[in-house]
Amino acid sequence: MTQELPGLARGGPGGAGGPRYLPVSEHGLIGDLRSAALVGANGTIDWYCCGRFDAPSVFASILDADKGGSFELAPDVPTRTKQFYFPDTNVLITRFFADDGVGEVQDFMPITDDSREATRHRLIRRVICVRGSLPFRAFVAPRFVYGTEDHTVRTEHGYPVFESPSMTLALTSSVPVETDGRDVWSLFKLHEGETAVFALDRVGGEVSPRACPVAEAEELFEATVRYWRRWLSKSRYRGRWREMVHRSALTLKLLTYAPTGAIVAAPTTSLPEQIGGERNWDYRYVWIRDAAFCVYALLRLGFTDEAKAFMQFLTDHVCIACPNSGPLQIMYGIDGSRRLPERELPHFEGYLGSAPVRVGNDAVDQLQLDIYGALIDSIYLYDKWGEPISSADWDTVCDLVDWVCDNWDQPDEGIWETRGGRKNFLYSRLMCWVAIERAMRMALHRGLPADMTRWGQERDQIYRRIMRRGWSSEREAFVQHEADSVLDASVLMMPLAKFISPTDPKWLSTLDALGEELVSDSLVYRYDPQASPDGLRGEEGTFSICSFWYVEALTRAGRPDDARLAFEKMLTYANHLGLYAEEIGRTGEQIGNFPQAFTHLALISAAFTLDRALG
């Protein structure tokens, strides 16, 4: 048994012979508002960073099936599987259908206000035989620090403890387990109505291994269900597509780092934008660009506490850098850290051979002028729908706007963080206009002191610059950057940001041009990297956020029927749980980091706008 089980565990449900890598879309997400794990539809946890979203991985077999580590739990016979969330929660259930019975694994991470218990980061896996009888197997193989740190297994209070130099994890279970000093496994059989429990805890210091009996696991299950349902009950959304909107809201909450209010772009790193390609990035950080979208979506849904916490993160870690330290940093660590050095992990083969695997992100040092518009728009929205801006925050806004007035007329790397050199991107100019315009709105609305004459002059100059140099007579469309005719989906934000009327003839012509060149069955490409080299090799899929921007642009242009069809089509590209990666591949597969906050934010916004237009 000792020699055979690890081999069996490689095969997924039903034993050996399963795929080494599940499709990205064949996963669900669980978490405790500090860290998160991806659970495959085969019952395997193949991505988990314990303690923090950006911590080194414990399980990373999604990036290297052999060296990454995983926690496998499934029947030891051939099965069919289905995966779903317990209704209105982030408790994930994976069901297995076999000839002799039906079983399920319930995966969740309890959420607690007890600071000591919160450091445990308990991950619970309840196994239940709901019909007949089934043999199960578990195989727990952590590989600490992205598979680079050795560990041993010792026994404490009768339970195996995985000990590495950087972290100690304890596995408690209600069934017997075996170990070879590195990995732990168990073969057990359950009859109808019987339950087994596995709990993985981070231990050390004052936190010691603690059993999780079946009765306690049931109590924690019920408490976790109550937490998520109580949280979701605050939603004010009552329109069409409530299930998808609420799933997006629950996903955004899962991507929130409770200690600071930060929201990560995604809980994963290096899931490729092209299978086998090099477009693999670490998204476990906070992008300022997401700020306005986060605040807008949260406030529209009624989640004022989360919007307030995120605004506090911006105040504590972003605005504090104003105004004398040069350009704002475009992203931050979840604790507000400013250094995010990028490095490669050459020992990992990458998802389906997509290398390099990267941790950290060098885009942190790029100049991206559009973030000023995103930041000030988020402050404007919170001032309008949340709480009035403080005098200190207004002073910061004034400093930011003054900096924009001095610096908007320079090339940058742009919204897509290209690595092919700086250009005069239209989107960057647009969002600089937004930064000044929103600040002027706040000043007028609240009677706040501002250099309105200068601000107005710079705002108008940006407007004229975009209308003159951002418009291509050849393409009859607004284009990606000055002195070229490349189309770019980021210009979809022009009417959404209220820069141009959604029915302006120039905008309608642009919308048609984008539809002809960048849209494929409602799916929208960012741009053509062949026409606009971005410094990287290979292709990419359609960008899901752009697809939802397209829906909203169609709606605002007075084409709600076209918008609804595009929206309904986009919903069919979600995975079985309603989750989206960053991109959709040519054959409809999810690619890129998963799930992506930006996509779910855009879905919420598009649903609100379209629902209102349909009446």
Side-chain angles (χ1 to χ4, degrees):
M1 180 187 301
T2 301
Q3 297 301 315
E4 293 178 357
L5 190 61
L8 279 174
R10 289 285 174 209
R20 293 181 72 240
Y21 293 96
L22 282 181
V24 168
S25 62
E26 291 296 309
H27 290 86
L29 185 72
I30 61 171
D32 62 358
L33 308 184
R34 287 169 172 80
S35 57
L38 288 182
V39 185
N42 59 358
T44 297
I45 296 177
D46 55 16
W47 178 254
Y48 177 47
C49 299
C50 183
R52 292 168 48 121
F53 292 107
D54 57 357
S57 63
V58 173
F59 303 131
S61 59
I62 199 169
L63 295 178
D64 193 300
D66 300 318
K67 302 174 184 175
S70 63
F71 186 160
E72 304 177 14
L73 183 57
D76 197 24
V77 292
T79 60
R80 294 176 294 106
T81 65
K82 289 186 178 180
Q83 199 174 47
F84 60 97
Y85 281 110
F86 202 78
D88 295 334
T89 79
N90 281 316
V91 174
L92 187 66
I93 298 177
T94 307
R95 301 206 104 193
F96 300 92
F97 301 85
D99 291 341
D100 295 326
V102 178
E104 67 182 37
V105 176
Q106 300 172 348
D107 286 302
F108 61 98
M109 296 172 69
I111 298 170
T112 176
D113 294 327
D114 185 318
S115 59
R116 180 175 171 180
E117 275 304 295
T119 63
R120 187 180 293 276
H121 298 287
R122 172 162 274 189
L123 193 162
I124 295 178
R125 314 200 72 185
R126 293 177 78 203
V127 191
I128 303 173
C129 183
V130 294
R131 299 184 68 181
S133 61
L134 284 174
F136 288 87
R137 55 179 171 75
F139 184 66
V140 189
R143 298 293 182 263
F144 295 92
V145 190
Y146 306 112
T148 63
E149 199 171 79
D150 290 333
H151 71 274
T152 58
V153 178
R154 59 179 171 83
T155 300
E156 185 173 333
H157 304 304
Y159 298 107
V161 175
F162 302 93
E163 196 164 42
S164 77
S166 63
M167 183 179 293
T168 302
L169 297 176
L171 178 72
T172 60
S173 66
S174 61
V175 294
V177 299
E178 299 181 56
T179 180
D180 60 2
R182 190 187 192 205
D183 302 327
V184 171
W185 60 87
S186 177
L187 288 173
F188 57 98
K189 189 169 187 176
L190 296 179
H191 300 282
E192 188 167 324
E194 293 181 336
T195 300
V197 175
F198 294 85
L200 190 66
D201 297 350
R202 187 176 73 173
V203 297
E206 296 181 356
V207 180
S208 58
R210 193 186 74 216
C212 185
V214 170
E216 181 182 346
E218 184 171 358
E219 291 174 3
L220 290 171
F221 173 89
E222 293 172 353
T224 306
V225 167
R226 285 195 303 272
Y227 172 87
W228 288 114
R229 288 182 168 172
R230 185 168 58 247
W231 180 82
L232 190 61
S233 69
K234 299 176 185 176
S235 171
R236 293 197 298 254
Y237 184 76
R238 297 293 182 269
R240 305 168 179 84
W241 310 295
R242 187 189 300 185
E243 184 174 350
M244 289 298 292
V245 168
H246 281 173
R247 178 49 53 196
S248 291
L250 285 162
T251 303
L252 290 177
K253 181 64 172 175
L254 268 184
L255 300 180
T256 302
Y257 185 63
T260 64
I263 300 176
V264 297
T268 57
T269 180
S270 297
L271 294 183
E273 296 175 18
Q274 179 187 27
I275 301 301
E278 66 174 345
R279 297 169 183 263
N280 317 316
W281 314 108
D282 194 345
Y283 275 18
R284 298 172 296 162
Y285 306 113
V286 187
W287 266 256
I288 301 310
R289 180 174 298 110
D290 297 9
F293 295 93
C294 285
V295 172
Y296 174 82
L298 291 168
L299 288 175
R300 288 305 299 266
L301 290 172
F303 298 113
T304 54
D305 290 345
E306 285 71 23
K308 182 176 182 179
F310 190 69
M311 290 303 299
Q312 192 62 51
F313 175 87
L314 297 177
T315 298
D316 292 344
H317 302 293
V318 180
C319 295
I320 197 172
C322 308
N324 300 316
S325 56
L328 283 179
Q329 193 163 298
I330 70 161
M331 72 176 85
Y332 294 80
I334 55 177
D335 58 359
S337 55
R338 300 172 64 85
R339 292 191 67 254
L340 309 172
E342 182 178 303
R343 61 190 176 93
E344 297 181 1
L345 304 180
H347 61 286
F348 271 1
E349 71 172 5
Y351 177 78
L352 288 173
S354 304
V357 172
R358 296 181 174 97
V359 294
N361 199 312
D362 279 348
V364 70
D365 297 321
Q366 289 188 355
L367 175 65
Q368 297 177 19
L369 295 173
D370 64 281
I371 66 171
Y372 287 87
L375 178 58
I376 295 178
D377 196 29
S378 70
I379 297 171
Y380 161 76
L381 291 169
Y382 192 70
D383 178 73
K384 181 179 179 181
W385 291 335
E387 296 179 351
I389 188 173
S390 70
S391 58
D393 285 343
W394 178 246
D395 290 340
T396 298
V397 168
C398 291
D399 291 336
L400 286 167
V401 175
D402 288 339
W403 191 94
V404 171
C405 289
D406 290 335
N407 293 276
W408 66 264
D409 187 14
Q410 58 179 305
D412 69 346
E413 276 86 5
I415 179 177
W416 306 131
E417 301 179 355
T418 60
R419 301 195 178 192
R422 295 181 177 181
K423 296 173 182 168
N424 292 308
F425 288 104
L426 184 152
Y427 184 81
S428 298
R429 300 281 187 271
L430 168 68
M431 296 308 288
C432 285
W433 179 90
V434 167
I436 301 172
E437 197 274 340
R438 298 304 191 266
M440 293 179 70
R441 284 197 194 194
M442 280 190 284
L444 288 170
H445 175 66
R446 297 276 308 282
L448 296 167
D451 189 350
M452 298 291 276
T453 300
R454 185 195 183 207
W455 290 5
Q457 290 173 345
E458 295 296 330
R459 177 199 63 184
D460 295 347
Q461 188 176 347
I462 297 172
Y463 177 89
R464 294 190 181 98
R465 175 78 168 262
I466 291 174
M467 298 302 287
R468 185 172 64 252
R469 300 192 193 178
W471 171 259
S472 168
S473 299
E474 173 193 350
R475 302 302 302 271
E476 295 187 340
F478 291 102
V479 292
Q480 184 183 65
H481 55 81
E482 296 175 8
D484 211 326
S485 58
V486 175
L487 296 183
D488 189 310
S490 65
V491 304
L492 287 165
M493 279 298 296
M494 294 177 74
L496 276 58
K498 303 186 186 306
F499 175 87
I500 193 170
S501 165
T503 56
D504 185 291
K506 283 190 172 181
W507 172 249
L508 293 177
S509 176
T510 301
L511 190 59
D512 289 340
L514 292 171
E516 291 174 6
E517 184 165 313
L518 297 183
V519 180
S520 172
D521 189 41
S522 84
L523 303 176
V524 181
Y525 291 95
R526 295 190 296 181
Y527 54 88
D528 180 357
Q530 302 301 318
S532 179
D534 54 16
L536 296 165
R537 295 186 300 272
E539 301 176 346
E540 60 183 18
T542 56
F543 244 62
S544 294
I545 185 174
C546 297
S547 300
F548 287 118
W549 286 351
Y550 183 58
V551 169
E552 197 159 350
L554 287 171
T555 304
R556 293 175 185 268
R559 296 160 58 180
D561 290 340
D562 293 342
R564 183 169 189 173
L565 180 60
F567 188 73
E568 295 282 5
K569 283 185 175 181
M570 266 303 294
L571 297 185
T572 69
Y573 286 101
N575 83 339
H576 57 292
L577 300 168
L579 304 181
Y580 288 89
E582 183 176 34
E583 302 181 22
I584 306 294
R586 288 190 179 275
T587 57
E589 73 276 14
Q590 303 258 7
I591 53 177
N593 284 307
F594 173 88
Q596 195 206 30
F598 224 173
T599 301
H600 288 279
L601 291 165
L603 183 156
I604 292 170
S605 181
F608 260 104
T609 302
L610 181 56
D611 195 63
R612 186 171 55 212
L614 293 172

